[in-house]
Amino acid sequence: MTRNEVINDLLGFEGLKIIQRPDMLNFSLDSVLVADFAPLTGRIRHVVDIGTGFAPIPLFLSVRKDSIHITGFEIQKDVAAIARRNVELNHLENRVTILHDDFKQALDHLPPTSIDLITCNPPFFKYDKTSNVSMSEYKKLARHEITITLEDIVHKSKALLKDKGRLVMIHRANRLDEVLLTLFKHAFNVKRLRMVHPRQGEEAYMVL
């Protein structure tokens, strides 16, 4: 443990712990919502999590179903290192694998059409030179489409998923039209959609 690290209980799951670095990243409610929304049916065996961060989604999913293997992709080396330690901390080395690589290179690690389910809590914001970005390189890459775009995620997911495989993601409600158009472009059908509202009576700000 470094002086900047903290160990927290994973929300709602007794016994699961997660190492975090508030100066780098913290997992949010978004990860909980994605893990809960993911359909872990009987045929789901191999799951991929895109931009896994400190691996909260793999940890959540490992509790929901003990017969799956989860591969998390994380492009930031320091973040991937903590994700691996979180896997070890919870004794999940046989069920969760963390890869330090760009998800766009996923086919270097996994065969095409081999994955049952892909989960993703992606960067929500487009990026250009005028974007208002965090001074933290870690947070900037996590929040903005600098290293990966919505198009990249959907395109590569289509190549990895089996026939009738599932892609589950959360995104900003104000980009829903773009998300749907991108999914349809790559021959996905939308089976379920859930709006996320900050409070009763207020407009949705996220969509699953």
Side-chain angles (χ1 to χ4, degrees):
M1 292 284 293
T2 71
R3 63 183 181 86
N4 292 322
E5 293 179 354
V6 295
I7 297 182
N8 298 125
D9 294 315
L10 209 59
L11 295 175
F13 293 97
E14 185 176 351
L16 278 184
K17 304 287 185 180
I18 186 166
I19 302 167
Q20 302 202 90
R21 280 272 305 268
D23 60 316
M24 290 168 59
L25 298 169
N26 269 332
F27 86 90
S28 66
L29 179 62
D30 300 347
S31 298
V32 182
L33 293 173
V34 171
D36 178 70
F37 195 65
L40 295 185
T41 60
R43 65 180 182 80
I44 302 295
R45 291 290 181 266
H46 195 173
V47 180
V48 163
D49 184 45
I50 305 171
T52 200
F54 295 148
I57 292 176
L59 296 183
F60 283 127
L61 293 178
S62 72
V63 172
R64 286 193 54 202
K65 186 174 182 180
D66 60 11
S67 60
I68 58 174
H69 187 275
I70 308 153
T71 301
F73 282 86
E74 175 52 54
I75 197 169
Q76 301 191 70
K77 183 178 180 180
D78 294 344
V79 177
I82 294 177
R84 289 193 183 106
R85 290 169 56 206
N86 280 325
V87 171
E88 295 167 358
L89 178 65
N90 291 284
H91 309 293
L92 293 169
E93 296 94 329
N94 293 330
R95 296 174 52 204
V96 180
T97 301
I98 303 299
L99 298 178
H100 167 230
D101 204 353
D102 188 335
F103 177 67
K104 296 194 295 292
Q105 308 305 318
L107 291 176
D108 292 344
H109 303 276
L110 300 166
T113 64
S114 64
I115 304 302
D116 300 299
L117 171 69
I118 295 177
T119 56
C120 185
N121 181 6
F124 292 145
F125 305 106
K126 293 180 179 291
Y127 177 78
D128 60 38
K129 293 180 180 179
T130 65
S131 297
N132 182 20
V133 298
S134 172
M135 293 296 290
S136 164
E137 189 70 14
Y138 301 106
K139 294 176 182 177
K140 181 169 69 174
L141 293 181
R143 295 171 180 171
H144 289 81
E145 294 183 338
I146 296 172
T147 61
I148 196 165
T149 65
L150 174 64
E151 176 79 22
D152 295 329
I153 290 167
V154 176
H155 173 68
K156 193 59 64 176
S157 294
K158 187 65 178 180
L160 277 175
L161 284 169
K162 296 177 180 177
D163 183 41
K164 298 183 180 179
R166 302 290 185 93
L167 169 62
V168 173
M169 73 166 71
I170 190 167
H171 222 298
R172 300 282 292 187
N174 61 9
R175 290 187 67 182
L176 177 57
D177 287 351
E178 180 188 357
V179 171
L180 294 177
L181 287 172
T182 305
L183 290 169
F184 296 151
K185 174 183 173 182
H186 292 279
F188 281 95
N189 294 315
V190 177
K191 297 293 187 181
R192 293 191 302 149
L193 188 148
R194 179 181 297 165
M195 308 304 291
V196 181
H197 301 259
R199 295 176 186 82
Q200 186 174 355
E202 295 188 10
E203 289 188 358
Y205 73 112
M206 304 294 286
V207 58
L208 290 151

